[in-house]
Amino acid sequence: GKAKACILLFMWGGPAQQDTWDMKPEAPAEFRGEFLPIRTNVPGIYISEHFPKLSKRTDQLCIVRSMTHENFDHNASTHYLLTGEPPPISKSKIDQWPHMGAVLSKLGRGQGALPPFVSMRPELPGDVPRFVEQSQGQFAGWLGPLHDPLTIDADPSKPDYKVGEMTLQPELSLTRLEGRKTLQQKLDRTLSGANSAFAATDKNNQRAFDLLSSAANQRGAFDLSQESPKMRERYGRHRWGQSHLLARRLIERGARFVTTNNGPSIKWDTHQNNFNRLKNDLVPPMEQAYAALLDDLRERGLLESTLVLWMGDFGRTPKINKDAGRDHWPQCYSVVLAGGGI
């Protein structure tokens, strides 16, 4: 295959497939819902009327309308999608199967000092339950913590956005940093026999030192202020858009698997008021960011080597409930692939 990297756009909470990618215009009203299908630039393929940008880019997409699994729970069902395996009985992270990105890390993919596997999951303060944190299959599981993702909880749309302490403080020179590194290595050698976890800790410490002092960091992989205002507006000045823009920057600089979890997970969980929430709150920023990412990757010559995967944990019930919503439905739903030779 042509893919060298992957950007996973994870729609946490489960988008309604029949109101987005798999319209049912001839079904009874209590199934088909309020939205109409529109033509796309591929004859015979119709998608939601609220996807005007994506309807002009459908020739770049592979829409798979036959996804299925057997789990109705947000936190457990993600294990199927992220690892390819059913969720284990144990909820311990170490008993779970490794995420796709963790496998790439284990295989040594990636370039430079950037972590090969990065997961962005900005959520609103107080969002409960925090599905993004609790869902299974996000980490390296039994491959061990060395291959866990770099997780970013900060909101990249905020003016004060930063990813941890990715720049040296003015009073800390590279010489002092190297001195601290040497001291820490001596301590690690002294303690390493006491606990096998020290090996992973030592390697992650080395990664942190490398990132602090590397050209990758000096070029500002996480610094969105280096992008033009026009580019940032193109993606959208919201957490969705800026997360997608950051994903492109990381892929450019050597990361190999980047996940964007689009805002508060609960919002795609449309048990109530499904249609208003989709057309007013959820679809517009998602579509703007998605279309911008596809265009930007193509213009930079990166789309052919970057697989862009759009998916959620499951779909929504065919029949609309009494609250004008749709409930959980893993039996049949849609995902979309683009780039990477697709």
Side-chain angles (χ1 to χ4, degrees), residues 25-313:
E26 297 180 8
E30 64 270 27
F31 291 88
R32 71 171 180 264
E34 301 175 8
F35 299 162
L36 299 175
I38 56 171
R39 295 179 183 272
T40 68
N41 64 353
V42 179
I45 296 182
Y46 294 79
I47 59 179
S48 170
E49 63 181 316
H50 298 292
F51 283 171
K53 293 183 176 67
L54 293 172
S55 71
K56 299 174 183 177
R57 295 162 174 83
T58 305
D59 58 323
Q60 301 173 43
L61 307 178
C62 174
I63 303 170
V64 182
R65 293 169 168 160
S66 54
M67 296 295 292
T68 184
H69 62 75
E70 300 176 351
N71 196 293
F72 286 78
D73 180 78
H74 290 290
N75 294 349
S77 64
T78 53
H79 197 278
Y80 284 105
L81 279 298
L82 302 178
T83 75
E85 294 288 335
I89 296 174
S90 167
K91 294 184 179 180
S92 170
K93 282 171 56 176
I94 199 64
D95 292 328
Q96 294 173 25
W97 283 69
H99 186 290
M100 296 177 280
V103 175
L104 292 183
S105 174
K106 173 67 174 178
L107 293 174
R109 305 295 170 86
Q111 300 172 353
L114 281 174
F117 178 22
V118 181
S119 180
M120 290 178 280
R121 51 190 199 183
E123 298 201 28
L124 290 176
D127 179 40
V128 177
R130 291 182 65 88
F131 288 140
V132 175
E133 289 183 354
Q134 298 169 5
S135 294
Q136 297 181 29
Q138 298 186 76
F139 300 97
W142 43 258
L143 280 182
L146 179 59
H147 302 293
D148 280 344
L150 169 65
T151 56
I152 302 173
D153 291 322
D155 183 349
S157 67
K158 300 293 186 184
D160 59 350
Y161 171 69
K162 66 177 182 178
V163 179
E165 296 296 341
M166 289 294 184
T167 56
L168 289 175
Q169 298 302 310
E171 68 275 10
L172 184 61
S173 65
L174 281 175
T175 302
R176 287 188 68 193
L177 182 66
E178 285 298 323
R180 291 182 177 187
K181 176 180 174 182
T182 300
L183 176 60
Q184 185 170 44
Q185 287 173 338
K186 290 179 179 178
L187 289 170
D188 287 346
R189 281 195 294 271
T190 302
L191 298 170
S192 59
N195 191 325
S196 61
F198 273 103
T201 302
D202 189 46
K203 180 62 176 177
N204 281 326
N205 285 339
Q206 180 63 50
R207 285 177 170 174
F209 280 118
D210 290 346
L211 190 57
L212 274 173
S213 58
S214 70
N217 184 52
Q218 291 161 14
R219 289 199 302 270
F222 301 96
D223 184 4
L224 291 177
S225 68
Q226 294 188 10
E227 297 287 339
S228 69
K230 183 177 180 180
M231 181 61 75
R232 297 193 71 178
E233 293 293 340
R234 181 177 176 184
Y235 275 85
R237 289 278 191 164
H238 38 68
R239 63 173 62 83
W240 308 49
Q242 299 307 293
S243 292
H244 287 42
L245 177 54
L246 181 56
R248 186 267 286 165
R249 290 180 63 84
L250 294 174
I251 291 295
E252 275 185 311
R253 289 160 173 78
R256 284 297 166 258
F257 201 106
V258 180
T259 300
T260 68
N261 301 312
N262 294 291
S265 57
I266 196 68
K267 289 194 70 176
W268 282 108
D269 199 21
T270 53
H271 292 280
Q272 301 88 28
N273 200 21
N274 173 74
F275 302 98
N276 285 328
R277 291 177 68 186
L278 285 173
K279 69 182 179 183
N280 296 325
D281 301 328
L282 295 167
V283 168
M286 180 279 293
E287 194 203 28
Q288 178 185 12
Y290 188 10
L293 177 65
L294 294 176
D295 292 351
D296 196 11
L297 289 172
R298 187 181 67 253
E299 291 161 9
R300 294 168 185 270
L302 293 170
L303 187 59
E304 279 297 293
S305 61
T306 305
L307 178 66
V308 181
L309 178 56
W310 187 105
M311 68 179 181
D313 24 342

